[in-house]
């Protein structure tokens, strides 16, 4: 019963009721604020609602992803959006479909229904024009967004100065640009930071807002626009070459997101031999994506493991990924 429903809800992507002209903006560019983003940005996002099937209302979440050139993909999640009903599983079994704006709108007609996205909602109509469900657009925020540094915390960036960073650069008045490392070095610690990826609808994969949080300059938690993707170890929230996130909690690009990290450094004996691996728990937008995960070795691209404390590195990959509200509590 649910799989045909998933097809129905997913097909709603293909009903973008908007003038084709509004999609003519240059989507080949990189956009760093919502204000400068083209109209296509407003169509992508997250939608939640219920659809009636044989008298039963079933909840679904849909993530609509802009792919440039008037194309959009939707991914449908049974039970609700990731972290709010959908808790992870076999991504390959989720239904995905692409649609293209044409002639002012795109409409999808299936057996016994028509689905249309317009004015921030997806309306699903049955035979005779009877409404059988509506999904409303939602804008989620991390529960730890804007979290204040507790007493005793080391504030690495509050928007006023990049002095705590080597190669630190402030952009857009009060944001820290990727490609910098903290001057202070850390062993066991907890960390809070907020990041925002750019909007690059024509880009794909690692070219779409790439950066990374290198914990202790040794273990990379990926930062990437992975909205609606699988949740691989090289996508947002993944520990590169070590672990995929439990669920892909990536929000849309140009949306502020959070990482909250609890890190325990590797242990060494007096001869410098490692006796215990490092461990980490990470929350992405308030949801645990790695739970006391053992880190068997450093990840590629930065420093090797050693007994010494080391810096926090925000990887630069040529993309205008920005950070704010970064603070650390030593354990």
């Amino acid at each position: 019963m649910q799989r045909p429903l998933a097809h129905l809800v997913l097909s709603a992507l293909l009903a973008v009721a908007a003038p084709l002209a509004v999609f003519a903006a240059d989507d080949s560019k990189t956009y760093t604020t919502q204000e400068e983003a083209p109209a296509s940005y407003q169509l992508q996002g997250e939608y939640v609602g219920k659809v009636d099937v044989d008298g039963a209302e079933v909840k679904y979440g849909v993530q609509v992803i802009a792919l440039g050139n008037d194309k959009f993909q939707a991914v449908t999640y049974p039970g609700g959006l990731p972290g709010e009903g959908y808790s992870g599983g076999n991504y390959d079994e989720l239904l995905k479909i692409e649609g293209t704006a044409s002639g002012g709108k795109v409409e999808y007609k299936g057996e016994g229904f028509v689905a249309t996205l317009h004015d921030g909602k997806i309306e699903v109509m049955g035979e005779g024009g009877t409404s059988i469900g509506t999904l409303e657009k939602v804008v989620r925020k991390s529960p730890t967004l804007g979290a204040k540094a507790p007493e005793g915390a080391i504030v690495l960036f509050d928007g006023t100065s990049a002095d705590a960073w080597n190669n630190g650069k402030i952009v857009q008045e009060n944001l820290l640009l990727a490609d910098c490392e903290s001057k202070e070095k850390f062993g066991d610690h907890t960390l809070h930071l907020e990041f925002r990826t750019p909007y690059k609808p024509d880009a794909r994969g690692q070219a779409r807002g790439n950066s990374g949080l290198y914990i202790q300059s040794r273990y990379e938690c990926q930062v990437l626009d992975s909205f609606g993707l699988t949740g691989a170890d090289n996508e947002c929230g993944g520990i590169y070459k070590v672990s995929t996130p439990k669920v892909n909690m990536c929000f849309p690009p140009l949306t502020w997101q959070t990482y909250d990290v609890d890190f325990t450094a590797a242990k060494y004996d007096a001869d410098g031999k490692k006796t215990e691996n490092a461990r980490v728990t990470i929350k992405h937008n308030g949801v645990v994506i790695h739970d006391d995960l053992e880190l068997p070795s450093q990840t590629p691209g930065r420093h090797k493991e050693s007994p010494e404390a080391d810096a926090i590195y925000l990887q630069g990959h040529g993309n205008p990924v920005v950070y704010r509200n970064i603070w650390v509590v030593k354990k």
Side-chain angles (χ1 to χ4, degrees), residues 25 27 30-42 199 254:
D27 277 347
T30 297
Y31 302 92
T32 59
T33 67
Q34 293 186 19
E35 290 74 18
E36 68 177 347
S40 61
Y41 178 77
Q42 300 302 324
Y199 178 54
L254 300 182

Side-chain angles (χ1 to χ4, degrees), residues 160-176:
T160 62
S161 171
D163 289 347
W165 300 83
N166 292 318
N167 199 43
K169 296 182 177 66
I170 293 181
V171 295
Q172 297 178 20
E173 296 184 354
N174 60 356
L175 306 177
L176 183 66

Side-chain angles (χ1 to χ4, degrees), residues 32 87 90-91 143 205 207 228 243 260 263 290 298 306:
T32 59
S87 57
N90 189 347
Y91 179 85
S243 180
D260 290 280
F263 175 75
H290 301 289
Q298 76 276 352
S306 77

